[in-house]
Amino acid sequence: MSKIAILLPKAYMLEQAKRVIEEDSLDIDILKVIKTPDSVYEARQVVELGAEVILARGVQAAFIRQYTNIPVAELTLTGQEIGLMIASAKKKVPDKKHPHIALIGFKNMFSDMTYADELFDVELKFYNITAIEQAAEKVDLAIEEGADVLMGGDTVNALAAQKGFPGQFIDSTEESIRSAITVAKKMIQTAEAEKNYIAQFETVLDSSYNAILEIDEQKHITIVNKAGEELFRKKAEQLQGAALEKVLPELEQRYMDEVLAGKRDSFMTSVYVAGMPMMLTAAPIQYENQIRGMILSFYRNTATRKNINTEELHSHYLKGYVAHAHFSDLKINSKEMEYCVELSKMYALSRKPVLIIGEEGTEKEILAQCIHNNSSYKAGPFVTINCSGMTEQMQIDRIFGNPNAEDESLKKGALAIGDLGTILISEIEKLSPVCQYRLYRAVRYDSLIQNDLERSQTLDNRIIATTTEDLYKCVQEGCFREDLYYLLNGLTVEIPPLRKRQEDIRAIVEECRVKFTRRYARFPRIAEDAMEALMAYPWPGNEIQLEAFCERMMLTTPKKTITSDFVHFLLDDLYPVQEHKLEDGTTVIYQHPEVARLTELLEKHHGNRSAVAKELGISTTTLWRHMKKYGVVSKYDLT
């Protein structure tokens, strides 16, 4: 059966096509004369007979292309054919030496006509239509602009006849039909090559152990392999066409956007899919120096692990060994924190220890919970130990266990309780030397030391440690083991302080506003100058300090709009003077602006309050109240 179907509007054209097929010994046996209103129906009929490409002309070709998915090879009139039509059109108006001929039709029906006027001594004007409904409008326009003859297809000639106006049908010859058949054959060859490529591509995809998705430029899924169907527990047909953000809502879409925009050569992160931790790799699809989409590959760590049963899982929840935070909970706007989270997601699938460094009040524990919940240890317990304020024996009992203890948790210790889970050791710099050694042995060699006896105990857990100190400096000072430092320092995340990520201050304040509005049913808005004041403050206590301040601010504001004056007042009331050490070792002292102003004027006028009040434009009584409010004492009053 022929793969090419020829559908033409005139019987003489069909005869021309038959002669071309016979002369060139072509295997084409689907040929038919059709009417324009039936063009779409006829096209669908020949497709059912096995046609893969349709050869058609003019409006019929346009209809078939618009209302079906069938490839169409169009008859394009050659220059020679256009010349023959112009000669016939001139005969319609023999009394015109330089006739005005209007050519009305679809642009893709005609070859180049740039020099037709000069070659045939006519004024040829082309009227392009993009839909057959425009034909009547173009006919009227051509007549209005002085056309002598209308040249076009069936519709144009019918309209010309209605108006009693000369018309010339667009005739084709065997030349244009032969060219169109050549194009149709190339389209079939291209389609065959594409089918072959797709078959090879699908074979590669389906033989891959990794789940693979192909994504287009709009981030819609176009291809899913068999491993992808198993991972997402859906058939490819259910996933194809779906938006990536709907299928993977926890995935950071901005990173996908950067891959598609060419800002990243690739991107790797961890993501939880159908209850399984996966490592995701995104790589762009490039063609002719343009990115046409991307390939997402999902790899699962297939190393053997013990299973945790439902009873154990329930017990962990009852005992509070649970991590509540997820990466999707983090409110991030700063580039510094984006990088921090990106690193943490990549570390999540590793089983090696992670060291989180950050000042007091930064999101160290929250980040540790996120790492746990994005890892293969998610189903296991999340056990937290804080080394601060504990004696060496207390640290030993709580981390490594004491067989003689009566309490079950002390008897087993955090390392054993946290089997198949995560142990978070906060303020690890305060771990005693004995415990540092035991922790090193436990992590490095899976050797658990209890009561000074070392025994091998197979534990499958991951250590996350946090610190506010520079551990390398602690190593140099001899208060932290060098081997433990290098063991922990491989996967390091350093959380930047809030003063280095002002964009996050805005996000945290807004989150607090929403939270405390719901909690206290108070609905103040925060003016931009107030927000700028909050962003300018160094917040040495970081997020903890900022959240506490926001709660106080929301509870005590006397007005519906919080302004910078009220923010400065509260800052001065809660933190009259704040000292903060910068990275270069210098100390910055923060004072309320009003305090600095009053102190400066008192110094300028050598403690003369009347002069200060006069410069401020207030009474001495008001000045005294201001000094009392802000705790300003003149050194001249003390002498």
Side-chain angles (χ1 to χ4, degrees), residues 11 18 186 199 212 232 251 305 358 389 469 478 527 555 561 623:
K18 287 179 180 179
K186 288 182 178 177
I212 295 175
F232 290 96
L251 183 63
R305 294 196 59 213
E469 303 293 333
L555 274 173
T561 299
L623 173 63

Side-chain angles (χ1 to χ4, degrees), residues 258-292:
E258 289 176 0
V259 172
L260 289 172
K263 296 179 181 178
R264 285 175 177 263
D265 293 334
S266 63
F267 172 68
M268 181 181 292
T269 188
S270 62
V271 64
Y272 235 79
V273 182
M276 292 183 289
M278 310 293 294
M279 180 64 79
L280 179 149
T281 302
I285 301 170
Q286 288 187 303
Y287 176 68
E288 293 183 347
N289 296 322
Q290 284 191 327
I291 295 175
R292 309 290 185 176

